Amino acid sequence: MLGLLWLIPIAPLVGFLILVSTEGRLSPRNVSWVGVGSIGIAALLTGLIGATFLNSPMEPFTQVLWTWMSVGGFAPQIAFYLDALSLNMMFVITGVGFLIHVYSVGYMRGDAGFSRFFAYMNLFVFAMLVLVLADNLVLLFLGWEGVGLCSYLLIGFWYDNPENGYAARKAFIVTRVGDTAMALGLFLLFKHLDTLEIQPLMERASENWESGSTLAVVTALLLLGGAVGKSAQLPLQTWLPDAMAGPTPVSALIHAATMVTAGVYLIARTHVLFSLAPDVQLAVGMVGAATLLISGVTALTQTDIKRVLAYSTISQVGYMFLALGVGAWSAAIFHLMTHAFFKALLFMAAGAVILALHHEQDIYKMGGLWRRLPVAFWTFLIGACALVAMPMTAGYFSKHEILLTAFDNGPSGVGLWIAGVLGALLTAIYSSKLVLIVFFGHQSTKTSEKLDINLHVPLVILAVLSLFGALLRIPLDSVLPEPAQGEEIAGWAEWVTNALPLIGIGLALLIYGTRSISLEHWLTKPIAERLQRFWFDGWGLDWLYDRLLVRPYCAIAKLNHRDVVDFLYTGLATIIRGCHLLTTRTQTGQLRWYAASMLLGTLLVIAIGLFT
């Protein structure tokens, strides 16, 4: 059964090729069968292969298909590597991906680009599967760039709106910054370790590099740069909120469940390098802590339901980075899985609300929807409870493990724990705010009569997974080391970890529910208005980048509109044309001119011979 591993990424690739080659000539029904069916086949194969693998000794399995290229001593292969970590990612990509594809049939029904949408989605799933199954970092980088391309295509899917095109370009360019750092890291690794096959690379790094060595630190920093870009962490997180310009299923699949967690997977897969660079590993945790706090505060000020969830995604990926920073590798992947369940659920439930309200996304133009959209309400509520980490939900177990492991990791870990519990408080407030305003606020927009059944079934399944998905946890002790156990966790720390989300819910109820606490007096003060605007704009990072990078670049481009580099080539062409013109002038057709030219040439040759 393991020999069929190659069919898992091939299935969505075949679906993409069929949809592209037919150029939209298939009926919507047939497009649905191809687009959804290919992912369904991949999910079925993942289940069968996963069951076989989990019932075996769980020894890593490598499947070599062919040698990609052979240049000198560099011969990367098209090879897939299956272990507990890649299997965990495959379950998320194909399982959640299949449900989102089913949902997309109802959400995108009637759209002029229906076939094109599923072609892009299939291509994305193929690239993501290549990324997590890759046996070497070159093939991983191919999948890495593939998901970046698909993200660009899907964010700008409705390209007739210039703002969507801008958001797509912004995502593509910002993530390229991180990708460039990652590529430099790969060059450095190959130069000093002579391989990019992941397992031999980790072995050679641990054998040849000492802990804290310069090479280990530099390569880990460069890989962190790639992870920060793809996973939308500080300082490269500005692209993700704007990426909400794409259709809601895109937000659910790419920008919540899979692609933005690719950076987490990369760090976990190369954990040996980060263990050899303890300062960089701590930096990973600090980046995550800062990101989750900044994004949590920003989410409080947003009015677009998808942008609230976007900042929530940035914040939750920050928790995964925090976990990686304290060595809780398995907990980070565990939270990656549970987050895929409840965040995909939240985006899809929000999408159902948006469709019912005729594509209205302003939360203050919603309200009173708990009766009119009961399926969307109850599933959104369950997803919000998992996001807040309410006890007995899937999100509780993964986030709880991260925070307590951080507390048990010494003084630096306690600092990260404080950031984590404050982030949990913010998460509880903005999540409760969403539920209260969208579903219990004053009704201000009429809703559609009925939503497609394709929207409801995936919501119910993901709601069940958001409650009980923690039972599906795959043991990763054979792949990832467990964090060192310290002293017994203090009872007060565990109490605070559990209590702060509940306190956040209580505050939200008092502020946005019963209105017992009014903030109007404070929010109308000039300093509060400026602070709220500052948070709303993402702490001014877009403004800063615009002044430091975008405007100077545009000014230089304007000055260089004739392209200085081309002067060399245009000058050479001008000289050649001039010489050609002089040569043609000598061709007069007059015999005396030709005879005189021959005589002068002969005299010149004789003179050269005499004087040299």
Side-chain angles (χ1 to χ4, degrees):
M1 179 60 71
L2 296 182
L4 299 178
L5 181 64
W6 65 278
L7 287 175
I8 295 177
I10 287 298
L13 177 62
V14 171
F16 163 75
L17 293 174
I18 292 173
L19 293 174
V20 167
S21 61
T22 54
E23 298 180 344
R25 290 190 294 270
L26 292 178
S27 67
R29 179 182 178 85
N30 289 333
V31 168
S32 302
W33 278 108
V34 173
V36 180
S38 61
I39 308 302
I41 292 171
L44 178 61
L45 287 170
T46 300
L48 294 174
I49 291 174
T52 302
F53 184 80
L54 292 173
N55 290 323
S56 68
M58 295 180 64
E59 291 293 328
F61 171 75
T62 303
Q63 186 176 44
V64 179
L65 300 182
W66 64 84
T67 299
W68 186 357
M69 65 184 84
S70 182
V71 182
F74 182 58
Q77 296 174 320
I78 302 295
F80 297 138
Y81 184 82
L82 178 66
D83 62 3
L85 177 58
S86 55
L87 180 63
N88 193 100
M89 296 297 296
M90 286 165 57
F91 276 132
V92 170
I93 295 165
T94 60
V96 177
F98 174 69
L99 294 174
I100 294 173
H101 273 71
V102 173
Y103 173 91
S104 300
V105 173
Y107 191 91
M108 300 299 293
R109 193 183 303 279
D111 193 281
F114 192 75
S115 178
R116 179 167 56 90
F117 175 82
F118 279 98
Y120 292 165
M121 292 281 275
N122 278 196
L123 181 62
F124 168 80
V125 174
F126 163 72
M128 193 70 199
L129 287 170
V130 169
L131 191 160
V132 301
L133 283 172
D135 177 63
N136 59 80
L137 290 176
V138 182
L139 187 59
L140 184 150
F141 193 66
L142 175 68
W144 188 274
E145 292 300 299
V147 296
L149 168 65
C150 294
S151 177
Y152 165 79
L153 294 172
L154 287 163
I155 293 170
F157 179 76
W158 288 316
Y159 54 83
D160 52 339
N161 186 341
E163 292 183 2
N164 295 346
Y166 170 79
R169 292 192 301 275
K170 180 178 179 180
F172 194 77
I173 292 170
V174 173
T175 54
R176 289 293 78 70
V177 176
D179 295 354
T180 301
M182 181 179 171
L184 293 173
L186 300 191
F187 295 149
L188 195 61
L189 285 170
F190 181 75
K191 176 177 174 58
H192 291 278
L193 298 177
D194 295 323
T195 185
L196 286 178
E197 292 182 39
I198 297 174
Q199 305 312 314
L201 180 70
M202 297 301 107
E203 293 175 4
R204 294 184 188 183
S206 59
E207 291 171 359
N208 298 309
W209 291 350
E210 295 180 358
S211 179
S213 65
T214 302
L215 284 173
V217 169
V218 172
T219 53
L221 279 173
L222 290 171
L223 293 183
L224 174 59
V228 162
K230 195 68 74 181
S231 292
Q233 297 293 285
L234 278 173
L236 299 178
Q237 85 285 10
T238 57
W239 65 270
L240 185 58
D242 291 343
M244 297 303 106
T248 300
V250 175
S251 304
L253 178 63
I254 296 182
H255 306 126
T258 53
M259 191 190 87
V260 293
T261 57
V264 179
Y265 170 79
L266 174 67
I267 295 176
R269 177 58 79 191
T270 58
H271 67 273
V272 173
L273 294 176
F274 288 87
S275 298
L276 291 171
D279 291 341
V280 179
Q281 186 178 347
L282 177 60
V284 174
M286 294 174 67
V287 166
T291 303
L292 71 90
L293 286 175
I294 288 175
S295 301
V297 171
T298 304
L300 277 173
T301 64
Q302 300 299 307
T303 58
D304 185 309
I305 188 171
K306 287 179 66 176
R307 287 182 74 89
V308 175
L309 295 177
Y311 280 107
S312 171
T313 296
I314 298 172
S315 179
Q316 294 305 304
V317 177
Y319 276 103
M320 300 174 206
F321 270 63
L322 190 153
L324 297 170
V326 298
W329 313 101
S330 181
I333 301 302
F334 184 29
H335 194 57
L336 184 156
M337 180 186 74
T338 60
H339 175 262
F341 296 151
F342 63 73
K343 188 53 63 64
L345 171 62
L346 286 168
F347 267 112
M348 291 159 67
V353 170
I354 291 168
L355 270 188
L357 298 183
H358 313 288
H359 295 279
E360 178 59 64
Q361 295 185 198
D362 189 336
I363 60 175
Y364 292 104
K365 295 181 180 179
M366 300 178 183
L369 299 178
W370 73 278
R371 288 183 183 275
R372 291 176 288 160
L373 300 174
V375 175
F377 164 65
W378 286 108
T379 54
F380 192 96
L381 181 63
I382 291 171
C385 288
L387 171 61
V388 172
M390 289 290 287
M392 306 314 295
T393 62
Y396 169 80
F397 294 103
S398 56
K399 189 182 289 186
H400 194 71
E401 182 177 339
I402 290 172
L403 292 175
L404 294 186
T405 304
F407 185 85
D408 196 32
N409 201 55
S412 61
V414 172
L416 297 177
W417 172 80
I418 292 173
V421 294
L422 289 177
L425 176 66
L426 293 171
T427 302
I429 295 174
Y430 68 69
S431 300
S432 302
K433 173 187 174 182
L434 265 186
V435 172
L436 292 170
I437 292 177
V438 171
F439 294 100
F440 294 98
H442 175 70
Q443 178 181 345
S444 56
T445 307
K446 292 184 178 180
T447 60
S448 301
E449 294 297 324
K450 187 177 180 181
L451 292 175
D452 198 301
I453 189 66
N454 292 90
L455 303 179
H456 288 162
V457 173
L459 289 178
V460 173
I461 295 174
L462 282 172
V464 173
L465 290 173
S466 297
L467 289 174
F468 307 109
L471 299 175
L472 302 178
R473 184 176 187 177
I474 297 174
L476 298 173
D477 53 335
S478 61
V479 182
L480 301 172
E482 293 297 321
Q485 295 294 324
E487 300 178 2
E488 185 177 351
I489 302 295
W492 66 268
E494 190 159 357
W495 183 89
V496 170
T497 303
N498 290 325
L500 275 185
L502 300 177
I503 294 172
I505 294 173
L507 285 174
L509 284 170
L510 293 174
I511 297 171
Y512 305 106
T514 63
R515 307 280 180 176
S516 301
I517 299 177
S518 176
L519 301 179
E520 296 298 326
H521 174 70
W522 300 100
L523 293 179
T524 54
K525 293 182 178 296
I527 187 171
E529 290 181 349
R530 287 195 293 269
L531 190 60
Q532 187 175 12
R533 171 56 59 181
F534 177 67
W535 289 341
F536 181 84
D537 291 336
W539 296 64
L541 284 176
D542 276 320
W543 178 90
L544 180 64
Y545 293 157
D546 184 61
R547 266 68 178 178
L548 289 181
L549 301 172
V550 177
R551 291 190 180 184
Y553 183 85
C554 291
I556 293 171
K558 188 175 181 179
L559 289 173
N560 189 36
H561 67 283
R562 292 185 179 274
D563 199 341
V564 174
V565 176
D566 277 353
F567 281 172
L568 174 64
Y569 306 104
T570 55
L572 182 61
T574 301
I575 293 171
I576 292 173
R577 284 198 300 267
C579 294
H580 173 71
L581 182 62
L582 289 174
T583 305
T584 56
R585 291 290 177 86
T586 65
Q587 305 302 309
T588 63
Q590 297 177 5
L591 185 60
R592 291 181 180 181
W593 169 253
Y594 293 156
S597 299
M598 292 174 63
L599 178 61
L600 288 173
T602 303
L603 292 175
L604 180 63
V605 171
I606 293 172
I608 292 173
L610 289 174
F611 291 104
T612 59

